[in-house]
Amino acid sequence: MASATGIPQHPPINPDNDGQDDLEPLLGRPGDASQRENAPIVKNLVIGTGVIAEAAGILLVTSVWAAVFLNGPLILFSVHPLAQSIGLLVLIQSILVLQPTHTGAQKQVGQKIHAGLNFLAFAIFAVGVVSIEVNKFANNGAHFHSVHGYLGVIASFWLLAQYAIGFTMFGVPQLYGGEANAKKIWKYHRLSGYVLLLFLAATVISATQTDYNLNVLGLKLWAMIVISVLLIIGVYPRIKKQKLGL
């Protein structure tokens, strides 16, 4: 996931390689899941297995929102699952839109959209985090009461780190000893983003074991596992091996 939370306006492009080597996905043949020349970038969302990832995101939002609104009452705590599910859906779009790009021009457009979507996702996630914290303080609720709570905190700081590193690599490369050194970190930053997505999926699954879900929402563990598997099937086969240095 090229910069999980932010890309500046003018990312560096290698002029000697206009992306023509970035055509082989993790699973499939060279050219599979690659953006066609002059094709609208919105098609990147459903190229190859992308449509499966889209289905996973939509299923997640539909399941969570239906559970919240059908099993009320609506309280401040309700904002948390509503916001986090939408935030993850937006984050999925930011990944899917950028993955198929391979030419310099495509990457520049894709990275700008990727950055904007990640800013939006992070803002939505922040709303969800703030809502649960305000609710806990208002009701003297216990922190770190569940595995989901621990995973959520780790995910929040991980997202912050992804954003900070992604932005500074391009905006302030001097922090890494210059642009050349900053570029060397890129593949690790991207790899970290893909691992983070898996971690976010595990965080969603763990939410089914919280008291709020068991007593109010009723989301099924098996359903969240199925959605997570669909997300993995939709996103990870489209990974370009060259972009990870493989």
Side-chain angles (χ1 to χ4, degrees):
M1 183 164 60
S3 179
T5 49
I7 300 286
Q9 291 186 343
H10 301 291
I13 299 294
N14 184 349
D16 298 324
N17 178 10
D18 197 32
Q20 297 306 314
D21 292 334
D22 296 340
L23 293 174
E24 188 174 358
L26 198 60
L27 295 177
R29 300 167 299 175
D32 288 351
S34 294
Q35 183 179 350
R36 303 299 181 187
E37 197 70 33
N38 299 321
I41 198 166
V42 68
K43 287 188 176 181
N44 289 1
L45 299 175
V46 293
I47 290 176
T49 56
V51 66
I52 301 176
E54 290 287 9
I58 293 171
L59 281 172
L60 174 64
V61 171
T62 302
S63 300
V64 171
W65 280 58
V68 170
F69 283 100
L70 294 177
N71 298 296
L74 294 178
I75 57 177
L76 180 60
F77 199 101
S78 305
V79 176
H80 180 71
L82 295 175
Q84 305 311 77
S85 60
I86 287 291
L88 185 54
L89 178 62
V90 174
L91 190 63
I92 292 169
Q93 309 311 304
S94 77
I95 299 168
L96 296 178
V97 77
L98 185 59
Q99 278 184 317
T101 62
H102 58 93
T103 69
Q106 290 174 357
K107 288 178 181 179
Q108 286 191 351
V109 174
Q111 286 167 339
K112 290 176 182 178
I113 297 174
H114 176 79
L117 289 172
N118 272 294
F119 274 118
L120 177 60
F122 190 81
I124 296 172
F125 283 142
V127 169
V129 171
V130 169
S131 69
I132 197 170
E133 289 303 311
V134 171
N135 181 78
K136 284 184 176 293
F137 280 113
N139 296 283
N140 295 316
H143 285 77
F144 303 108
H145 182 60
S146 64
V147 172
H148 178 69
Y150 283 100
L151 295 183
V153 170
I154 295 172
S156 297
F157 281 103
W158 196 340
L159 281 165
L160 276 171
Q162 281 290 107
Y163 171 77
I165 294 173
F167 181 80
T168 56
M169 275 195 305
F170 289 93
V172 195
Q174 295 85 352
L175 293 177
Y176 303 91
E179 187 173 328
N181 287 334
K183 287 181 180 179
K184 293 177 182 178
I185 302 174
W186 182 240
K187 63 181 178 181
Y188 302 109
H189 179 63
R190 182 182 287 114
L191 178 61
S192 174
Y194 281 120
V195 177
L196 173 57
L197 183 62
L198 289 175
F199 193 86
L200 290 172
T203 304
V204 170
I205 292 173
S206 70
T208 63
Q209 303 307 300
T210 61
D211 292 340
Y212 179 63
N213 182 67
L214 294 174
N215 297 325
V216 180
L217 297 185
L219 292 167
K220 303 300 183 183
L221 173 63
W222 66 264
M224 294 302 105
I225 292 176
V226 169
I227 288 173
S228 297
V229 170
L230 289 175
L231 178 61
I232 292 170
I233 293 173
V235 170
Y236 290 84
R238 303 195 339 160
I239 295 173
K240 299 296 193 299
K241 295 192 293 185
Q242 293 80 3
K243 291 183 177 181
L244 292 181
L246 301 176

